[in-house]
Amino acid sequence: MPSPVLIAIDASPASSALLTLARRYCRPGEHELHVLLAIDSTFAVHEQPAPYTAEELEEYPAACEEQQHADHAVAEAVRELQHAGFTSQGCMVAGQPVEAIVAKARELNCELIIMGHRHLSRLGRLLDPSISAKVIDRVDMPVLVGSA
């Protein structure tokens, strides 16, 4: 049975570097790749991809656009990984990134988490600690942190 690996993306252009990293260190047939994108709950219209009603589009245009962007990013990442020969699945969840990443990695019993890193100043790290650092502190599995 392939070992699960979680790739936490954020829908930014840097996400493609994480997919490249996964392809470099993982092997089709040996690793099952799971793509996760967590968005702020205030921008989540639906728990699962679904068509928006006219009322939702009118009342929550920014949230609909954000969620569509997230769903598209996950679908593109999964397609790219499948094209490279990997068994791959993806999901978008509403919630805080640290909690979502840790929960999904534990749920899947992952062998590895691959995620990105924002370059922050010392003051920036003090005021808003790194998501990757918080994940590393909360899991008991390796975390491969890519830098864009």
Side-chain angles (χ1 to χ4, degrees):
M1 181 171 171
S3 299
V5 173
L6 181 65
I7 306 168
I9 66 171
D10 65 0
S12 73
S15 295
S16 66
L18 297 178
L19 301 180
T20 300
L21 199 58
R23 288 192 314 271
R24 183 177 305 139
Y25 289 100
C26 299
R27 290 182 171 65
E30 290 182 32
H31 298 99
E32 181 176 4
L33 305 183
H34 295 264
V35 177
L36 172 72
L37 193 154
I39 63 169
D40 189 307
S41 299
T42 58
F43 285 101
V45 182
H46 301 134
E47 288 297 319
Q48 302 292 327
Y52 300 104
T53 65
E55 294 82 24
E56 288 171 336
L57 288 168
E58 185 177 323
E59 192 167 342
Y60 310 111
C64 290
E65 185 177 332
E66 182 75 15
Q67 188 163 353
Q68 285 175 331
H69 182 65
D71 289 337
H72 178 74
V74 170
E76 282 296 314
V78 168
R79 247 188 314 277
E80 182 178 328
L81 294 169
Q82 288 174 341
H83 182 66
F86 289 95
T87 300
S88 183
Q89 301 175 36
C91 67
M92 186 279 306
V93 296
Q96 295 300 313
V98 174
E99 286 74 19
I101 294 165
V102 170
K104 192 61 150 177
R106 287 181 178 154
E107 173 191 325
L108 296 169
N109 195 27
C110 285
E111 172 183 303
L112 174 69
I113 298 171
I114 299 174
M115 59 188 306
H117 170 70
R118 296 180 297 156
H119 295 282
L120 301 172
S121 67
R122 287 184 193 189
L123 180 59
R125 282 192 300 273
L126 183 63
L127 297 175
D128 182 20
S130 162
I131 291 171
S132 57
K134 289 178 185 179
V135 169
I136 290 167
D137 288 342
R138 293 187 48 193
V139 298
D140 57 356
M141 64 199 70
V143 178
L144 178 57
V145 180
S147 180

mmCIF file of all heavy atoms in Angstrom, residues 82-118:
data_model
loop_
_atom_site.group_PDB
_atom_site.id
_atom_site.type_symbol
_atom_site.label_atom_id
_atom_site.label_comp_id
_atom_site.label_asym_id
_atom_site.label_seq_id
_atom_site.Cartn_x
_atom_site.Cartn_y
_atom_site.Cartn_z
ATOM 1 N N GLN A 82 -1.350 13.537 -10.946
ATOM 2 C CA GLN A 82 -1.847 12.333 -11.615
ATOM 3 C C GLN A 82 -1.180 12.175 -12.973
ATOM 4 O O GLN A 82 -0.830 11.060 -13.374
ATOM 5 C CB GLN A 82 -3.366 12.378 -11.747
ATOM 6 C CG GLN A 82 -4.071 12.168 -10.425
ATOM 7 C CD GLN A 82 -5.578 12.344 -10.513
ATOM 8 O OE1 GLN A 82 -6.100 12.945 -11.454
ATOM 9 N NE2 GLN A 82 -6.286 11.840 -9.510
ATOM 10 N N HIS A 83 -0.985 13.284 -13.674
ATOM 11 C CA HIS A 83 -0.307 13.250 -14.970
ATOM 12 C C HIS A 83 1.134 12.737 -14.813
ATOM 13 O O HIS A 83 1.677 12.098 -15.719
ATOM 14 C CB HIS A 83 -0.318 14.635 -15.614
ATOM 15 C CG HIS A 83 0.306 14.677 -16.969
ATOM 16 N ND1 HIS A 83 -0.219 14.036 -18.061
ATOM 17 C CD2 HIS A 83 1.447 15.283 -17.393
ATOM 18 C CE1 HIS A 83 0.569 14.238 -19.112
ATOM 19 N NE2 HIS A 83 1.588 14.991 -18.729
ATOM 20 N N ALA A 84 1.741 13.015 -13.653
ATOM 21 C CA ALA A 84 3.105 12.547 -13.374
ATOM 22 C C ALA A 84 3.119 11.089 -12.906
ATOM 23 O O ALA A 84 4.179 10.549 -12.596
ATOM 24 C CB ALA A 84 3.765 13.448 -12.330
ATOM 25 N N GLY A 85 1.925 10.457 -12.823
ATOM 26 C CA GLY A 85 1.860 9.048 -12.479
ATOM 27 C C GLY A 85 1.495 8.721 -11.047
ATOM 28 O O GLY A 85 1.460 7.561 -10.658
ATOM 29 N N PHE A 86 1.228 9.735 -10.233
ATOM 30 C CA PHE A 86 0.899 9.509 -8.828
ATOM 31 C C PHE A 86 -0.591 9.256 -8.634
ATOM 32 O O PHE A 86 -1.423 9.841 -9.319
ATOM 33 C CB PHE A 86 1.274 10.729 -7.976
ATOM 34 C CG PHE A 86 2.741 10.916 -7.809
ATOM 35 C CD1 PHE A 86 3.442 11.773 -8.644
ATOM 36 C CD2 PHE A 86 3.433 10.241 -6.815
ATOM 37 C CE1 PHE A 86 4.805 11.951 -8.501
ATOM 38 C CE2 PHE A 86 4.798 10.415 -6.658
ATOM 39 C CZ PHE A 86 5.481 11.272 -7.498
ATOM 40 N N THR A 87 -0.904 8.417 -7.659
ATOM 41 C CA THR A 87 -2.264 8.351 -7.150
ATOM 42 C C THR A 87 -2.399 9.596 -6.292
ATOM 43 O O THR A 87 -1.576 9.825 -5.399
ATOM 44 C CB THR A 87 -2.476 7.087 -6.290
ATOM 45 O OG1 THR A 87 -2.227 5.956 -7.112
ATOM 46 C CG2 THR A 87 -3.871 7.041 -5.731
ATOM 47 N N SER A 88 -3.383 10.423 -6.584
ATOM 48 C CA SER A 88 -3.482 11.709 -5.900
ATOM 49 C C SER A 88 -4.928 12.100 -5.681
ATOM 50 O O SER A 88 -5.785 11.847 -6.530
ATOM 51 C CB SER A 88 -2.772 12.783 -6.728
ATOM 52 O OG SER A 88 -2.789 14.022 -6.070
ATOM 53 N N GLN A 89 -5.180 12.716 -4.541
ATOM 54 C CA GLN A 89 -6.487 13.246 -4.192
ATOM 55 C C GLN A 89 -6.284 14.642 -3.627
ATOM 56 O O GLN A 89 -5.199 14.971 -3.164
ATOM 57 C CB GLN A 89 -7.163 12.375 -3.144
ATOM 58 C CG GLN A 89 -7.370 10.942 -3.561
ATOM 59 C CD GLN A 89 -7.924 10.127 -2.416
ATOM 60 O OE1 GLN A 89 -8.714 10.607 -1.625
ATOM 61 N NE2 GLN A 89 -7.498 8.875 -2.336
ATOM 62 N N GLY A 90 -7.343 15.422 -3.619
ATOM 63 C CA GLY A 90 -7.228 16.765 -3.073
ATOM 64 C C GLY A 90 -8.491 17.201 -2.387
ATOM 65 O O GLY A 90 -9.577 16.674 -2.653
ATOM 66 N N CYS A 91 -8.334 18.165 -1.496
ATOM 67 C CA CYS A 91 -9.505 18.749 -0.841
ATOM 68 C C CYS A 91 -9.188 20.167 -0.381
ATOM 69 O O CYS A 91 -8.049 20.528 -0.142
ATOM 70 C CB CYS A 91 -9.982 17.893 0.331
ATOM 71 S SG CYS A 91 -8.855 17.827 1.718
ATOM 72 N N MET A 92 -10.250 20.941 -0.325
ATOM 73 C CA MET A 92 -10.204 22.290 0.209
ATOM 74 C C MET A 92 -11.010 22.235 1.502
ATOM 75 O O MET A 92 -12.092 21.664 1.525
ATOM 76 C CB MET A 92 -10.827 23.267 -0.789
ATOM 77 C CG MET A 92 -10.712 24.741 -0.428
ATOM 78 S SD MET A 92 -11.933 25.358 0.760
ATOM 79 C CE MET A 92 -13.459 24.899 0.012
ATOM 80 N N VAL A 93 -10.453 22.774 2.579
ATOM 81 C CA VAL A 93 -11.175 22.805 3.852
ATOM 82 C C VAL A 93 -11.249 24.234 4.359
ATOM 83 O O VAL A 93 -10.357 25.048 4.118
ATOM 84 C CB VAL A 93 -10.538 21.895 4.922
ATOM 85 C CG1 VAL A 93 -10.590 20.441 4.526
ATOM 86 C CG2 VAL A 93 -9.111 22.310 5.213
ATOM 87 N N ALA A 94 -12.330 24.521 5.060
ATOM 88 C CA ALA A 94 -12.494 25.831 5.681
ATOM 89 C C ALA A 94 -11.968 25.742 7.099
ATOM 90 O O ALA A 94 -12.391 24.889 7.875
ATOM 91 C CB ALA A 94 -13.966 26.226 5.685
ATOM 92 N N GLY A 95 -11.022 26.584 7.430
ATOM 93 C CA GLY A 95 -10.476 26.584 8.776
ATOM 94 C C GLY A 95 -9.084 27.168 8.813
ATOM 95 O O GLY A 95 -8.535 27.590 7.795
ATOM 96 N N GLN A 96 -8.528 27.167 9.994
ATOM 97 C CA GLN A 96 -7.177 27.673 10.179
ATOM 98 C C GLN A 96 -6.175 26.687 9.581
ATOM 99 O O GLN A 96 -6.280 25.475 9.801
ATOM 100 C CB GLN A 96 -6.885 27.875 11.666
ATOM 101 C CG GLN A 96 -7.746 28.951 12.302
ATOM 102 C CD GLN A 96 -7.526 30.293 11.630
ATOM 103 O OE1 GLN A 96 -6.387 30.709 11.394
ATOM 104 N NE2 GLN A 96 -8.603 30.977 11.307
ATOM 105 N N PRO A 97 -5.202 27.165 8.819
ATOM 106 C CA PRO A 97 -4.274 26.271 8.129
ATOM 107 C C PRO A 97 -3.549 25.277 9.050
ATOM 108 O O PRO A 97 -3.466 24.098 8.729
ATOM 109 C CB PRO A 97 -3.280 27.214 7.452
ATOM 110 C CG PRO A 97 -4.033 28.478 7.281
ATOM 111 C CD PRO A 97 -4.959 28.564 8.464
ATOM 112 N N VAL A 98 -3.043 25.733 10.173
ATOM 113 C CA VAL A 98 -2.284 24.840 11.058
ATOM 114 C C VAL A 98 -3.155 23.673 11.507
ATOM 115 O O VAL A 98 -2.767 22.502 11.393
ATOM 116 C CB VAL A 98 -1.715 25.601 12.276
ATOM 117 C CG1 VAL A 98 -1.062 24.635 13.261
ATOM 118 C CG2 VAL A 98 -0.724 26.659 11.832
ATOM 119 N N GLU A 99 -4.345 23.995 12.003
ATOM 120 C CA GLU A 99 -5.238 22.945 12.489
ATOM 121 C C GLU A 99 -5.648 21.999 11.363
ATOM 122 O O GLU A 99 -5.708 20.790 11.546
ATOM 123 C CB GLU A 99 -6.478 23.541 13.157
ATOM 124 C CG GLU A 99 -6.219 24.138 14.529
ATOM 125 C CD GLU A 99 -5.468 25.465 14.511
ATOM 126 O OE1 GLU A 99 -5.439 26.142 13.455
ATOM 127 O OE2 GLU A 99 -4.890 25.823 15.550
ATOM 128 N N ALA A 100 -5.936 22.550 10.188
ATOM 129 C CA ALA A 100 -6.358 21.728 9.052
ATOM 130 C C ALA A 100 -5.239 20.794 8.603
ATOM 131 O O ALA A 100 -5.485 19.611 8.334
ATOM 132 C CB ALA A 100 -6.802 22.629 7.899
ATOM 133 N N ILE A 101 -4.028 21.301 8.507
ATOM 134 C CA ILE A 101 -2.889 20.491 8.065
ATOM 135 C C ILE A 101 -2.598 19.378 9.063
ATOM 136 O O ILE A 101 -2.443 18.206 8.690
ATOM 137 C CB ILE A 101 -1.638 21.375 7.840
ATOM 138 C CG1 ILE A 101 -1.873 22.334 6.673
ATOM 139 C CG2 ILE A 101 -0.391 20.518 7.625
ATOM 140 C CD1 ILE A 101 -0.871 23.468 6.582
ATOM 141 N N VAL A 102 -2.544 19.722 10.337
ATOM 142 C CA VAL A 102 -2.252 18.727 11.376
ATOM 143 C C VAL A 102 -3.342 17.657 11.407
ATOM 144 O O VAL A 102 -3.051 16.456 11.447
ATOM 145 C CB VAL A 102 -2.088 19.412 12.754
ATOM 146 C CG1 VAL A 102 -2.040 18.389 13.881
ATOM 147 C CG2 VAL A 102 -0.835 20.292 12.761
ATOM 148 N N ALA A 103 -4.597 18.062 11.369
ATOM 149 C CA ALA A 103 -5.706 17.107 11.428
ATOM 150 C C ALA A 103 -5.687 16.171 10.221
ATOM 151 O O ALA A 103 -5.866 14.948 10.365
ATOM 152 C CB ALA A 103 -7.040 17.847 11.511
ATOM 153 N N LYS A 104 -5.476 16.711 9.030
ATOM 154 C CA LYS A 104 -5.477 15.885 7.812
ATOM 155 C C LYS A 104 -4.294 14.919 7.819
ATOM 156 O O LYS A 104 -4.434 13.744 7.459
ATOM 157 C CB LYS A 104 -5.444 16.778 6.575
ATOM 158 C CG LYS A 104 -5.719 16.045 5.304
ATOM 159 C CD LYS A 104 -7.104 15.426 5.341
ATOM 160 C CE LYS A 104 -7.722 15.322 3.994
ATOM 161 N NZ LYS A 104 -9.032 14.665 4.048
ATOM 162 N N ALA A 105 -3.131 15.390 8.224
ATOM 163 C CA ALA A 105 -1.955 14.519 8.267
ATOM 164 C C ALA A 105 -2.171 13.363 9.243
ATOM 165 O O ALA A 105 -1.804 12.220 8.949
ATOM 166 C CB ALA A 105 -0.717 15.323 8.658
ATOM 167 N N ARG A 106 -2.786 13.645 10.365
ATOM 168 C CA ARG A 106 -3.062 12.585 11.347
ATOM 169 C C ARG A 106 -4.149 11.638 10.833
ATOM 170 O O ARG A 106 -4.036 10.426 10.994
ATOM 171 C CB ARG A 106 -3.471 13.204 12.681
ATOM 172 C CG ARG A 106 -2.289 13.836 13.386
ATOM 173 C CD ARG A 106 -2.661 14.419 14.711
ATOM 174 N NE ARG A 106 -1.475 14.970 15.367
ATOM 175 C CZ ARG A 106 -1.507 15.941 16.247
ATOM 176 N NH1 ARG A 106 -2.656 16.479 16.620
ATOM 177 N NH2 ARG A 106 -0.385 16.381 16.790
ATOM 178 N N GLU A 107 -5.185 12.199 10.235
ATOM 179 C CA GLU A 107 -6.273 11.379 9.688
ATOM 180 C C GLU A 107 -5.751 10.387 8.648
ATOM 181 O O GLU A 107 -6.169 9.227 8.610
ATOM 182 C CB GLU A 107 -7.329 12.288 9.049
ATOM 183 C CG GLU A 107 -8.425 11.580 8.294
ATOM 184 C CD GLU A 107 -9.264 12.551 7.470
ATOM 185 O OE1 GLU A 107 -9.475 13.707 7.915
ATOM 186 O OE2 GLU A 107 -9.696 12.156 6.370
ATOM 187 N N LEU A 108 -4.834 10.836 7.808
ATOM 188 C CA LEU A 108 -4.285 9.997 6.741
ATOM 189 C C LEU A 108 -3.113 9.132 7.207
ATOM 190 O O LEU A 108 -2.635 8.297 6.447
ATOM 191 C CB LEU A 108 -3.826 10.871 5.572
ATOM 192 C CG LEU A 108 -4.906 11.667 4.849
ATOM 193 C CD1 LEU A 108 -4.280 12.676 3.902
ATOM 194 C CD2 LEU A 108 -5.845 10.722 4.110
ATOM 195 N N ASN A 109 -2.644 9.378 8.436
ATOM 196 C CA ASN A 109 -1.457 8.687 8.951
ATOM 197 C C ASN A 109 -0.286 8.889 7.983
ATOM 198 O O ASN A 109 0.343 7.934 7.510
ATOM 199 C CB ASN A 109 -1.736 7.209 9.186
ATOM 200 C CG ASN A 109 -0.674 6.553 10.042
ATOM 201 O OD1 ASN A 109 -0.025 7.216 10.855
ATOM 202 N ND2 ASN A 109 -0.490 5.265 9.873
ATOM 203 N N CYS A 110 -0.019 10.157 7.679
ATOM 204 C CA CYS A 110 0.985 10.510 6.673
ATOM 205 C C CYS A 110 2.399 10.156 7.099
ATOM 206 O O CYS A 110 2.748 10.203 8.276
ATOM 207 C CB CYS A 110 0.922 12.010 6.370
ATOM 208 S SG CYS A 110 -0.491 12.436 5.360
ATOM 209 N N GLU A 111 3.193 9.850 6.101
ATOM 210 C CA GLU A 111 4.615 9.593 6.277
ATOM 211 C C GLU A 111 5.384 10.917 6.262
ATOM 212 O O GLU A 111 6.447 11.035 6.864
ATOM 213 C CB GLU A 111 5.085 8.701 5.135
ATOM 214 C CG GLU A 111 6.567 8.488 5.065
ATOM 215 C CD GLU A 111 6.956 7.644 3.866
ATOM 216 O OE1 GLU A 111 6.447 6.528 3.751
ATOM 217 O OE2 GLU A 111 7.760 8.135 3.059
ATOM 218 N N LEU A 112 4.827 11.920 5.573
ATOM 219 C CA LEU A 112 5.526 13.180 5.336
ATOM 220 C C LEU A 112 4.515 14.271 5.024
ATOM 221 O O LEU A 112 3.483 14.010 4.416
ATOM 222 C CB LEU A 112 6.470 13.002 4.130
ATOM 223 C CG LEU A 112 7.206 14.217 3.584
ATOM 224 C CD1 LEU A 112 8.260 14.695 4.581
ATOM 225 C CD2 LEU A 112 7.854 13.883 2.241
ATOM 226 N N ILE A 113 4.845 15.489 5.444
ATOM 227 C CA ILE A 113 4.087 16.680 5.058
ATOM 228 C C ILE A 113 5.035 17.557 4.240
ATOM 229 O O ILE A 113 6.177 17.787 4.640
ATOM 230 C CB ILE A 113 3.598 17.487 6.288
ATOM 231 C CG1 ILE A 113 2.660 16.648 7.148
ATOM 232 C CG2 ILE A 113 2.908 18.784 5.833
ATOM 233 C CD1 ILE A 113 2.308 17.294 8.480
ATOM 234 N N ILE A 114 4.547 18.028 3.102
ATOM 235 C CA ILE A 114 5.315 18.977 2.285
ATOM 236 C C ILE A 114 4.537 20.281 2.283
ATOM 237 O O ILE A 114 3.340 20.305 1.992
ATOM 238 C CB ILE A 114 5.491 18.462 0.837
ATOM 239 C CG1 ILE A 114 6.259 17.143 0.840
ATOM 240 C CG2 ILE A 114 6.198 19.515 -0.028
ATOM 241 C CD1 ILE A 114 6.368 16.482 -0.524
ATOM 242 N N MET A 115 5.204 21.370 2.636
ATOM 243 C CA MET A 115 4.535 22.667 2.684
ATOM 244 C C MET A 115 5.523 23.786 2.403
ATOM 245 O O MET A 115 6.725 23.570 2.368
ATOM 246 C CB MET A 115 3.839 22.876 4.034
ATOM 247 C CG MET A 115 4.748 22.828 5.239
ATOM 248 S SD MET A 115 3.864 22.852 6.824
ATOM 249 C CE MET A 115 2.870 24.294 6.670
ATOM 250 N N GLY A 116 4.998 24.976 2.214
ATOM 251 C CA GLY A 116 5.829 26.126 1.886
ATOM 252 C C GLY A 116 6.203 26.938 3.112
ATOM 253 O O GLY A 116 5.776 26.661 4.234
ATOM 254 N N HIS A 117 6.999 27.954 2.846
ATOM 255 C CA HIS A 117 7.495 28.837 3.902
ATOM 256 C C HIS A 117 7.497 30.268 3.382
ATOM 257 O O HIS A 117 7.996 30.534 2.294
ATOM 258 C CB HIS A 117 8.917 28.418 4.280
ATOM 259 C CG HIS A 117 9.622 29.378 5.187
ATOM 260 N ND1 HIS A 117 9.256 29.547 6.486
ATOM 261 C CD2 HIS A 117 10.658 30.205 4.959
ATOM 262 C CE1 HIS A 117 10.058 30.450 7.035
ATOM 263 N NE2 HIS A 117 10.909 30.870 6.130
ATOM 264 N N ARG A 118 6.893 31.146 4.166
ATOM 265 C CA ARG A 118 6.945 32.567 3.827
ATOM 266 C C ARG A 118 8.205 33.157 4.438
ATOM 267 O O ARG A 118 8.559 32.845 5.565
ATOM 268 C CB ARG A 118 5.737 33.313 4.410
ATOM 269 C CG ARG A 118 4.422 32.881 3.843
ATOM 270 C CD ARG A 118 3.295 33.662 4.472
ATOM 271 N NE ARG A 118 3.258 33.378 5.909
ATOM 272 C CZ ARG A 118 2.742 34.180 6.831
ATOM 273 N NH1 ARG A 118 2.207 35.326 6.491
ATOM 274 N NH2 ARG A 118 2.740 33.848 8.101
#
